[in-house]
Amino acid sequence: MSETLSTAGTLRVRRRIPTRTPGQASGTAPGRRRLGSPAGSLVWAAPALAFVGILLVYPFFRSVYGSLFEDNGFTSEFVGLDNYVRLAEDPILGRSLINTVMWVAGTLLLPVAVGLLIAVATHRMRLGNLAQLVIVLPYAISGASTAVLWKFMLTSDGAVNQVLGAVGLGSLAQPWLLEWPQNTVSLIIAGTWQATGINVVLFTIGLRAIPRDIVEAAHLDGVSGWSMFRHITLPQLRAMTVVVVGMAIVNSLKAFDLIWVLTQGGPSRSSETLALTMYREAFRLFHVGYGSAVALVLSVIVVAASWLYLRRQMPGGDRD
């Protein structure tokens, strides 16, 4: 009986299975860090971090430092916050701010809205891809080339006024680029002609990402036309709309090449935006410290506007 119990006890002893640590399983020594670890990932991120630091972080802090000096490119004198006081008292700043706000509003109302409508209208249209291609082509043209084209049309003896005169509407002919605010409005229209194409592309991508079963279910419920656009299409395009509007805000605040080639901010700096003010002061008048102050103000406006918009649009951003 005792022999039977001892044999059963021996059978109940479980065999131990050897185990290996993750480092041993991957063939890595226990004391050696893997490249996939958080510390190892810094090795791969270091070039990108250095690139961002050299091209973005250092110039930003260098501009902050330079804005505290009166610098003409040859001599430099510390003046503290005098450049910012001068900026607040500059009468040109008010007009530049108004033009910048006009650019932001025009960029949101025209390229984004027109791009959305064209994308929706041509999404399922026969030869819709061809129509979208024609609208996208201006985006492939540089801002300087676009400005040269529109300058040919908008000068006092340009194509627009000549066409108006040829059709009997000569009374509507105007010096489009010589008076404010029509010069800024003309610039916005020229920018809309170029920027609408990329918005059409982005909204088309968003339309193709809408689940087809949602659209078919809406059709079965009798939803179509404006109701389909308002209750189905527009909510499904929310994520893409956030991207498009965010890009439009940033691009409108830093618009430069189109305005510079068309009007150079004139006449009498009436069509000048903050980006042009910064360029003129720093690189044309050699007020480097003052130009750095303008650049810093513009950077703060761009970051603040983008942050406020994205914070409002992200999930949970409107809880407060």
Side-chain angles (χ1 to χ4, degrees), residues 9 20-21 56-58 61 98 113 128 131 190 195-196 211 215 223 236 246 252 275:
R20 292 186 295 177
T21 63
L56 295 178
V57 178
Y58 171 74
F61 286 104
I98 292 174
T196 300
V215 178
V223 180
Q236 292 294 322
S252 61

Side-chain angles (χ1 to χ4, degrees), residues 105-239:
T107 302
L108 294 181
L109 292 176
L110 293 178
V112 175
V114 174
L116 175 61
L117 294 178
I118 293 175
V120 173
T122 59
H123 177 50
R124 300 189 182 279
M125 180 189 299
R126 186 179 181 183
L127 300 179
N129 291 335
L130 180 60
Q132 291 178 1
L133 176 61
V134 174
I135 297 168
V136 170
L137 283 178
Y139 185 73
I141 306 175
S142 66
S145 301
T146 301
V148 171
L149 175 62
W150 279 84
K151 192 170 186 177
F152 166 77
M153 295 190 295
L154 295 175
T155 52
S156 298
D157 57 347
V160 173
N161 286 340
Q162 291 183 12
V163 170
L164 290 175
V167 299
L169 298 175
S171 59
L172 299 179
Q174 299 182 30
W176 302 101
L177 300 176
L178 299 181
E179 297 179 2
W180 188 88
Q182 64 194 29
N183 51 10
T184 299
V185 174
S186 300
L187 294 172
I188 292 173
I189 293 174
T192 298
W193 180 78
Q194 183 189 29
T196 300
I198 185 61
N199 295 334
V200 171
V201 172
L202 294 174
F203 280 125
T204 301
I205 294 173
L207 289 170
R208 293 178 179 176
I210 298 177
R212 191 168 184 82
D213 54 351
I214 296 179
V215 178
E216 292 176 351
H219 280 303
L220 292 176
D221 291 338
V223 180
S224 61
W226 169 250
S227 297
M228 173 69 76
F229 174 77
R230 179 182 178 184
H231 298 290
I232 303 297
T233 303
L234 201 56
Q236 292 294 322
L237 288 176
R238 177 183 173 87

Side-chain angles (χ1 to χ4, degrees), residues 39-126:
S41 62
L42 292 177
V43 176
W44 302 103
L49 294 176
F51 192 75
V52 172
I54 294 173
L55 295 183
L56 295 178
V57 178
Y58 171 74
F60 174 77
F61 286 104
R62 182 64 182 84
S63 297
V64 174
Y65 177 76
S67 67
L68 303 177
F69 290 82
E70 180 63 39
D71 187 355
N72 60 8
F74 299 97
T75 60
S76 179
E77 179 184 357
F78 181 79
V79 295
L81 299 178
D82 286 356
N83 285 324
Y84 296 96
V85 175
R86 175 187 168 189
L87 180 62
E89 298 174 350
D90 191 348
I92 300 297
L93 177 66
R95 178 58 59 84
S96 297
L97 284 173
I98 292 174
N99 288 330
T100 302
V101 171
M102 290 178 64
W103 265 94
V104 174
T107 302
L108 294 181
L109 292 176
L110 293 178
V112 175
V114 174
L116 175 61
L117 294 178
I118 293 175
V120 173
T122 59
H123 177 50
R124 300 189 182 279
M125 180 189 299
R126 186 179 181 183

